[in-house]
Amino acid sequence: MKTFKKFYIEITSICNLACTFCPPTKRQANFIKVDAFTNTLDQIKGHAEHIYFHVKGEPLLHPKIDELLDISHDKGFKVNLTTNGTLLHKAKSKILGKPALRQINFSLHSFDGHEGSVDKEGYVSSVLAFAKEAVETSNILISLRLWNLTPDNATNVEKDRNREVLEKIEKTFNLDFKIEEHFVRGKGIKIADRIYLNHEEEFKWPDLKEKEDEGKGFCHALRNQAGVLVDGTVIPCCLDGEGVINLGNINDKPFSEIIEGERANNLYDGFSRREVVEELCRKCGYRQRFNV
């Protein structure tokens, strides 16, 4: 039986923001139904222990996210949540204290990524206040993400873009160091107990319109991760936000059969040979990080 370190379940394809770094999905706007979610968990039981409420969409929009967290706990899953954090004022009571919730990733770069954003200080303050309360009242982990760096991060514009956020973090947690001075690309910085800051380069979602690479290399798709879109489409990784690599649908065929199907095995075996079988994968810049 194939097992996955990360399993992505898209609980909604809808988002309340329109960030420049995240292309809007062309798929039908949808929220996962409770029975469909339950069925998904039943099908992936034994294949994964950690699930991620993320592919596209903003999970805090889901009106029954509290129920989904309770079901996850009842079935023995730990949940990692990725959110822009703008809806904490509405969803806080639904998620705080839920035993299934292992980690929340806050995409702080979404503020600058969304053209209509206002009150940056208020937004960051809200996220940091929640983070402090969450770690004080539970065993949750918090990851504050600033995934907006350029390859060289050299210009003053790029440095200043995050300075306001970093200063707010330094002040809120009474840090005795400047975060920028401790920055190492690809490594998180511990801000407080169970609270971390992660700087990363902005990445492009793979797109069939992009230029293909040489078709050689490796990826962890279907090795340590897989996912299911809100309509039940099984995908090999969290970056296939449009379901281009449609491996099958769990509403039509069992998940265990889908990931042992011809298309799934061809992708998996191709990466074993360091050959990129799928066109979308040959147009994925993120995969280049694993070309070993």
Side-chain angles (χ1 to χ4, degrees):
M1 178 183 288
K2 286 179 180 172
T3 58
F4 305 100
K5 183 179 179 181
K6 300 178 180 180
F7 195 92
Y8 295 86
I9 301 177
E10 183 185 69
I11 64 172
T12 181
S13 57
I14 305 168
C15 190
N16 62 318
L17 300 184
C19 296
T20 55
F21 56 82
C22 185
T25 179
K26 300 179 181 67
R27 296 179 285 115
Q28 181 179 355
N30 205 353
F31 290 100
I32 197 170
K33 303 291 192 297
V34 171
D35 57 348
F37 179 78
T38 303
N39 175 54
T40 299
L41 294 190
D42 288 340
Q43 291 205 39
I44 69 170
K45 188 74 173 179
H47 292 283
E49 295 179 357
H50 289 240
I51 55 178
Y52 291 68
F53 286 0
H54 184 58
V55 177
K56 287 292 186 75
E58 168 51 54
L60 297 190
L61 275 173
H62 200 292
K64 295 185 177 181
I65 190 171
D66 49 347
E67 192 171 343
L68 302 186
L69 288 168
D70 288 340
I71 294 169
S72 300
H73 177 65
D74 290 343
K75 292 186 176 294
F77 290 92
K78 287 294 184 181
V79 176
N80 299 269
L81 191 93
T82 298
T83 173
N84 58 48
T86 59
L87 300 175
L88 285 174
H89 61 291
K90 294 182 178 180
K92 174 182 172 180
S93 62
K94 292 185 176 183
I95 63 175
L96 198 59
K98 291 296 184 181
L101 199 52
R102 173 187 173 271
Q103 179 170 324
I104 303 181
N105 307 310
F106 288 102
S107 300
L108 298 181
H109 49 284
S110 61
F111 185 92
D112 289 328
H114 179 69
E115 189 176 332
S117 296
V118 295
D119 189 15
K120 190 172 190 175
E121 182 177 358
Y123 162 69
V124 176
S125 296
S126 172
V127 172
L128 299 184
F130 176 90
K132 293 183 76 172
E133 182 177 357
V135 297
E136 288 172 358
T137 58
S138 69
N139 293 320
I140 199 170
L141 296 168
I142 300 290
S143 173
L144 306 171
R145 292 177 171 179
L146 283 170
W147 287 9
N148 57 5
L149 301 180
T150 60
D152 55 7
N153 203 43
T155 70
N156 288 330
V157 172
E158 279 126 17
K159 291 180 179 179
D160 292 344
R161 179 169 52 184
N162 290 335
R163 181 93 290 270
E164 184 180 353
V165 176
L166 298 181
E167 288 177 350
K168 184 67 178 177
I169 294 172
E170 290 163 358
K171 182 177 181 180
T172 299
F173 292 95
N174 298 313
L175 301 185
D176 58 1
F177 62 88
K178 293 289 185 182
I179 292 173
E180 286 176 320
E181 296 174 0
H182 289 252
F183 167 63
V184 177
R185 191 176 299 279
K187 291 189 177 181
I189 298 172
K190 186 174 182 179
I191 300 301
D193 183 35
R194 287 178 282 118
I195 300 178
Y196 298 86
L197 174 69
N198 290 278
H199 274 97
E200 281 290 354
E201 292 180 22
E202 181 178 321
F203 68 87
K204 283 187 176 181
W205 288 79
D207 193 307
L208 292 177
K209 297 178 182 178
E210 295 294 325
K211 183 179 178 181
E212 282 195 20
D213 60 27
E214 76 288 350
K216 301 294 182 182
F218 179 76
C219 180
H220 294 288
L222 289 183
R223 275 182 162 75
N224 73 1
Q225 66 165 295
V228 177
L229 298 179
V230 69
D231 66 353
T233 299
V234 177
I235 54 176
C237 81
C238 63
L239 293 181
D240 186 5
E242 292 303 294
V244 173
I245 308 175
N246 184 342
L247 302 177
N249 194 295
I250 58 172
N251 297 315
D252 303 324
K253 183 184 290 187
F255 175 77
S256 294
E257 292 183 20
I258 291 173
I259 57 168
E260 295 296 347
E262 182 179 3
R263 190 170 189 180
N265 283 330
N266 285 342
L267 182 147
Y268 184 97
D269 294 340
F271 282 130
S272 296
R273 302 188 304 268
R274 301 306 191 262
E275 294 179 8
V276 186
V277 173
E278 290 284 347
E279 180 184 359
L280 186 70
C281 300
R282 295 194 296 271
K283 298 179 176 181
C284 176
Y286 196 86
R287 181 184 59 78
Q288 299 297 330
R289 302 184 184 194
F290 309 111
N291 279 354
V292 294

